[in-house]
Amino acid sequence: MRFAFIKTALGVAAVGGILAAATPALAQFKTVSEMPPKKELSLTPALGWNSWNTFGCDVSDSLIREMADAMVSSGMKDAGYEYVNIDDCWHGGRDEQGNIQVDPQKFPHGMKALADYVHSKGLKIGIYSDAGNKTCAGYPGSRGYEYQDALQYQAWGIDYLKYDWCNTENLNPIGAYTTMGEALAQLDRPILFSLCEWGDNQPWEWGKEIGHSWRTTGDIYNCWDCEHNHGSWSSLGVLPILDKQMKLRKYAGPGHWNDMDMMEIGNGMTEAQDRSHFTLWAVLNSPLIAGNDLRTMSKTTRDILTNREIIAVNQDKLGIQAMRMLATERLNVFAKPLENGEWAFVFLNRSHSTLDLNHDWEYYPLKDDEFGKRIDFDQEKFTWRDLWKGNKGDTLNPLKVKIPPHDVVVLRLTPKA
Ligand code: GLA
């Protein structure tokens, strides 16, 4: 059976794929309005690993199995990491019926066997596609095959789809992402939908109705404060990505998150920079998707990625992204409301020299108009715990601490009894 168009919430989207006889009939799909994204899949930001930052197109069955093994043996699984995600370049071609195939050299056992392996470790598996005809690396995209690809992912046992935005020149982003979002939402299998539109068309304004997270920027680059020019596009270091998030916090919440991109922890920045990178992604409620080689990472990298107290701040059920309450050239202060009246505070030294912090809490009452939260430190007293060093203190006394260059101090504040 050949079909040409499917009605979507936003008009008519072309879906010119050919359905194989074995493919379940389209009739199984319900009407759009009955099928919003399954928000319960991401009530807190996703935790996982992705192949792209370290391996690029060099993905294979053995690499993914080894990474799943390492996620378990390193303690990452116990710390909450769940998804093992294959990025671009896993694809073969399409068969005569248009069904997407894996590259038989890279994945000789097929995707289903690989998914079964990852599941046998108590983990989940993610895959990558693109809204255009081709992926960014030139492999077949899903345009015109959205429902067919969604069914294939379901048959393979996929749990997460990252959906890219290359080769989409004449496509309307809302329509293109809606088509795939609906295809996934109508499957029996829950598949988390991660929009990778790079923030070009303000996905924070419309992504919530379609999926579970949206990239807010172009690609990350493994540096602190740089922009790496690739000709027609550039990738961004930690601080430039951070600075692009500042007006976006009101759009995020349980089931729909601003995605600051896969992390570069363990890929060459300094320990302080990696610690700050992890902290900032965590308090801004980004999905925490590691991008390093988990098999060979140092203890330092592992300790950063598995800091459970930082992860707990990211996974706090309130789901409110941190606000930047103070921003000077050298010092940024972030505050994130947590459940039960607790708060996370981050003091970030952006500069190249040590910062002598003397923070008198009472000088900085906190007013979060977007989420209606307040702290008047004159009236309310908190104890705090430093989530990297374990020190303790309270807000009755000024916080006096030296913050090394590019490092952070992160405190969890608990109301004093
Ligand atoms: C784009 C995405 C990256 C990665 C590559 C793969 O650049 O933004 O995260 O998926 O494509 O080709």
Side-chain angles (χ1 to χ4, degrees):
M1 172 173 67
R2 188 174 168 87
F3 63 97
F5 296 102
I6 287 181
K7 286 226 173 212
T8 74
L10 295 139
V12 174
V15 285
I18 300 170
L19 283 181
T23 307
L26 255 190
Q28 72 172 290
F29 293 115
K30 301 198 181 128
T31 56
V32 167
S33 53
E34 288 173 41
M35 281 291 184
K38 296 167 180 130
K39 289 294 172 188
E40 66 277 12
L41 285 181
S42 192
L43 292 178
T44 57
L47 289 165
W49 173 89
N50 173 292
S51 54
W52 184 253
N53 286 355
T54 294
F55 299 96
C57 271
D58 206 4
V59 289
S60 66
D61 178 278
S62 55
L63 179 82
I64 300 304
R65 284 175 197 246
E66 288 172 20
M67 224 50 76
D69 293 348
M71 192 176 273
V72 176
S73 62
S74 63
M76 284 179 71
K77 180 186 170 212
D78 285 344
Y81 290 83
E82 186 176 26
Y83 293 99
V84 180
N85 292 350
I86 314 168
D87 207 276
D88 207 345
C89 312
W90 56 266
H91 321 65
R94 291 188 180 276
D95 70 11
E96 284 172 5
Q97 284 80 37
N99 295 311
I100 189 70
Q101 308 292 298
V102 292
D103 178 320
Q105 256 81 49
K106 293 176 179 167
F107 296 92
H109 311 295
M111 195 58 83
K112 173 83 171 67
L114 180 56
D116 288 348
Y117 183 81
V118 173
H119 292 149
S120 77
K121 299 276 155 186
L123 299 169
K124 293 182 175 168
I125 184 166
I127 211 170
Y128 161 102
S129 189
D130 189 286
N133 291 321
K134 289 194 164 141
T135 69
C136 295
Y139 291 85
S142 288
R143 184 174 183 185
Y145 294 90
E146 292 87 350
Y147 281 73
Q148 197 171 354
D149 285 356
L151 287 166
Q152 180 72 283
Y153 304 151
Q154 170 167 265
W156 284 340
I158 298 296
D159 305 294
Y160 181 118
L161 175 67
K162 169 177 169 181
Y163 204 49
D164 216 339
W165 188 238
C166 275
N167 306 303
T168 52
E169 283 69 27
N170 297 316
L171 282 186
N172 171 319
I174 304 180
Y177 280 96
T178 298
T179 305
M180 183 51 99
E182 286 170 358
L184 296 175
Q186 296 184 56
L187 299 171
D188 294 330
R189 186 174 187 81
I191 299 185
L192 189 153
F193 191 30
S194 154
L195 283 55
C196 179
E197 187 269 357
W198 318 318
D200 286 3
N201 296 279
Q202 296 77 46
W204 40 87
E205 287 178 355
W206 43 266
K208 177 181 174 182
E209 315 303 330
I210 298 173
H212 302 94
S213 63
W214 48 82
R215 277 271 297 278
T216 56
T217 66
D219 289 3
I220 193 167
Y221 197 74
N222 187 21
C223 63
W224 178 246
D225 188 11
C226 76
E227 193 160 333
H228 189 78
N229 200 314
H230 301 269
S232 58
W233 61 287
S234 52
S235 44
L236 307 170
V238 168
L239 289 187
I241 290 183
L242 172 70
D243 290 338
K244 286 183 186 294
Q245 311 304 314
M246 291 310 128
K247 298 209 168 95
L248 305 184
R249 68 187 289 261
K250 66 176 181 212
Y251 297 103
H256 49 278
W257 309 105
N258 290 308
D259 176 355
M260 296 164 74
D261 204 357
M262 290 103 54
M263 299 182 294
E264 292 281 14
I265 290 152
N267 286 344
M269 281 187 281
T270 67
E271 182 183 340
Q273 291 168 345
D274 275 355
R275 193 162 34 240
S276 298
H277 175 16
F278 190 61
T279 300
L280 293 163
W281 265 232
V283 298
L284 285 144
N285 288 356
S286 177
L288 298 178
I289 308 292
N292 58 314
D293 189 339
L294 307 182
R295 301 166 303 182
T296 56
M297 65 182 158
S298 66
K299 180 176 179 312
T300 305
T301 297
R302 195 191 63 203
D303 287 349
I304 291 174
L305 287 172
T306 56
N307 181 322
R308 289 173 188 233
E309 290 182 285
I310 300 286
I311 293 173
V313 168
N314 175 261
Q315 297 290 302
D316 183 83
K317 298 277 190 306
L318 265 192
I320 301 181
Q321 188 171 317
M323 65 184 277
R324 183 155 65 181
M325 56 178 283
L326 187 75
T328 69
E329 212 175 300
R330 299 189 69 203
L331 173 68
N332 282 187
V333 183
F334 297 87
K336 173 171 158 56
L338 305 172
E339 280 191 305
N340 304 321
E342 292 191 294
W343 288 79
F345 270 72
V346 176
F347 299 85
L348 167 69
N349 179 2
R350 297 173 66 114
S351 77
H352 301 306
S353 55
T354 298
L355 191 144
D356 251 316
L357 183 72
N358 185 352
H359 183 82
D360 193 340
W361 298 95
E362 292 182 5
Y363 278 136
Y364 299 98
L366 188 144
K367 215 162 148 269
D368 174 3
D369 288 336
E370 278 169 330
F371 290 92
K373 305 271 180 191
R374 300 269 182 286
I375 309 180
D376 185 347
F377 285 101
D378 267 342
Q379 311 295 325
E380 293 165 80
K381 308 295 176 197
F382 295 83
T383 55
W384 56 253
R385 177 179 157 78
D386 180 325
L387 302 188
W388 287 110
K389 295 223 169 88
N391 308 335
K392 291 181 177 169
D394 61 40
T395 56
L396 295 169
N397 301 296
L399 174 69
K400 290 186 183 168
V401 60
K402 285 188 194 313
I403 311 180
H406 304 173
D407 215 334
V408 276
V409 169
V410 188
L411 308 181
R412 187 177 181 116
L413 271 61
T414 306
K416 242 177 174 343

